[in-house]
């Protein structure tokens, strides 16, 4: 099969289209013929070797962990899916090896879910990692409640776009940071207040609306020091980060509870998320398509950090 893989860690130039053996499903797995693969920041981080110390790996590593497509083979022990089912999945595993920038991927069938019927394969491939991360951050870690307020840093990105929709569905009051041109977008998703982080003092603006601070802060921005936003959280509030371990001592000083979420595949949660897309509660996020052959350019754009919604790779038009 065709796949975009790396033979060693390094810059994005390492990404090359290669001919690799098609993976065969184990008894608990299905093989998916991939239509689209979602492109996530974690993909360039893996490429540069940032995860080398935390995960088992084996070159060549095929990048990518979000996929949509059609079940092409089922393992002997699989009963929840059959050949021909249209599916989507987060296929992140503890071993870096067989990813989704490829024509086929195999994964544990319990985490592979039927695609909502009225959304396209391209839209479905943009959902798994972003929505599962936001779901686990807001529902499991923060346990956000209906009357509460939340500040979401980076509302226009893949995780932020889903976090706004999940918080809106929970009937929380949402403030989010985004560049001014993205304000109509984040408000359409459900944010009440959009803060231009380039022009405004974020903490000051939050305090205008919530003088004691918000109940919850979700940090989806890489590379910033989240402790500078701790004053935006009320004493007794919660801070959830998905990008770096928070400074627990500083948080204790502010009387804030902190959580770090590392997303895990979860078929039950992805099914619940799919149902919210099916019934119109969640709306597909804007996507920009690149062909698989241009995976390097797609990942470069993600690495630059200002994607509006999600970038996806088109792998097959007839999965
Ligand atoms: N822990 C986990 O399990 C987990 C899971 C998923 C993702 N992550 C990490 O979470 C981060 C976000 O992921 P993602 O998929 O949402 O990324 P993304 O889609 O690439 O995020 C891009 C967004 O970030 C915004 N942004 C950039 N700098 C900003 C700043 N200083 N303040 C506010 N917004 C800013 C941009 O908005 P503007 O264009 O408006 O600037 C853009 O919309 C990444 O570092 C990723 O690796 C972690």
């Amino acid at each position: 099969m065709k796949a975009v893989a790396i033979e060693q860690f390094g810059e994005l130039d390492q990404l090359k289209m290669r001919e690799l053996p098609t993976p065969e499903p184990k008894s608990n797995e299905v093989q998916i013929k991939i239509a689209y693969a979602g492109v996530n920041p974690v993909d360039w981080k893996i490429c540069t070797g940032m995860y080398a110390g935390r995960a088992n790996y084996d070159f060549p590593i095929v990048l990518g962990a979000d996929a949509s497509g059609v079940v092409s083979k089922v393992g002997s022990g699989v009963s929840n899916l059959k050949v021909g089912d249209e599916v989507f999945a987060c296929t992140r595993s503890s071993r870096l090896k067989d990813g989704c920038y490829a024509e086929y991927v195999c994964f544990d069938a319990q985490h592979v879910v039927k695609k909502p019927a009225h959304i396209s394969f391209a839209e479905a491939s943009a959902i798994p990692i972003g929505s599962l991360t936001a779901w686990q951050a807001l529902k499991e870690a923060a346990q956000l409640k209906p009357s509460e307020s939340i500040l979401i840093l980076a509302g226009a990105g893949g995780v932020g776009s889903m976090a706004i929709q999940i918080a809106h569905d929970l009937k929380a009051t949402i403030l989010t940071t985004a560049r001014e041109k993205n304000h109509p977008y984040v408000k359409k998703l459900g944010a009440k207040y959009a803060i231009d982080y380039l022009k405004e003092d974020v903490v000051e603006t939050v305090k205008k609306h919530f003088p004691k601070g918000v109940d919850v802060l979700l940090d989806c921005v890489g590379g910033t020091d989240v402790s500078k936003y701790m004053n935006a959280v009320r004493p007794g509030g919660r801070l959830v980060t998905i990008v770096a371990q928070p400074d627990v001592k500083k948080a204790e000083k502010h009387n804030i509870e902190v959580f770090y979420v590392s997303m895990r595949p979860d078929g039950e949660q992805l099914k619940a998320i799919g149902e919210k897309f099916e019934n119109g509660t969640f709306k597909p996020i804007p996507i920009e398509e690149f062909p698989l052959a241009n995976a390097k350019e797609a990942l470069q754009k993600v690495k630059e950090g200002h994607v509006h919604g999600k970038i996806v790779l088109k792998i097959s038009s007839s999965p």
Side-chain angles (χ1 to χ4, degrees), residues 226-298:
V226 71
S227 47
K228 71 182 181 198
Y229 297 107
M230 283 182 185
N231 279 328
V233 184
R234 69 162 170 80
R238 290 96 78 204
L239 184 162
V240 186
T241 176
I242 60 167
V243 281
Q245 297 286 351
D247 186 329
V248 179
K249 280 200 175 130
K250 274 192 188 162
E252 275 171 5
K253 259 194 188 163
H254 284 79
N255 187 19
I256 296 170
E257 201 177 353
V258 293
F259 302 88
Y260 172 74
V261 169
S262 178
M263 191 273 328
R264 58 177 200 286
D266 186 315
E268 284 305 311
Q269 289 179 356
L270 192 57
K271 192 164 167 248
I273 289 162
E275 283 162 7
K276 299 260 181 199
F277 278 97
E278 193 75 72
N279 69 23
T281 306
F282 296 162
K283 304 275 182 281
I285 62 176
I287 46 173
E288 185 182 354
E289 283 186 34
F290 285 69
L292 179 61
N294 291 7
K296 188 176 87 179
E297 288 73 21

Side-chain angles (χ1 to χ4, degrees), residues 163-228:
I164 294 175
Q165 299 200 64
I166 292 166
H168 185 63
D169 186 38
L170 287 168
K171 300 188 171 48
T173 303
I174 303 154
L175 303 87
T176 190
T177 57
R179 285 196 284 186
E180 198 171 0
K181 74 174 178 65
N182 286 327
H183 286 193
Y185 169 64
V186 294
K187 285 188 173 169
K188 200 168 157 206
L189 292 177
K192 185 164 184 188
Y193 305 107
I195 305 169
D196 184 349
Y197 66 91
L198 294 173
K199 294 190 189 143
E200 297 174 61
D201 181 315
V202 175
V203 176
E204 234 173 59
T205 307
V206 170
K207 290 286 185 86
K208 273 187 208 152
H209 301 297
F210 292 90
K212 289 185 185 158
V214 290
D215 297 296
V216 174
L217 166 57
L218 172 63
D219 174 25
C220 305
V221 183
T224 54
D225 177 10
V226 71
S227 47
K228 71 182 181 198

Side-chain angles (χ1 to χ4, degrees), residues 10 58 74 83 101 133 148 199 206 238 245 252 263 314:
D58 187 5
V74 293
V83 170
Y101 292 8
T133 307
E148 291 193 310
K199 294 190 189 143
V206 170
R238 290 96 78 204
Q245 297 286 351
E252 275 171 5
M263 191 273 328
K314 183 174 182 175

Side-chain angles (χ1 to χ4, degrees), residues 75 148 218 256 303-304 312 318:
E148 291 193 310
L218 172 63
I256 296 170
K303 194 175 176 194
E304 283 157 15
V312 299
S318 53

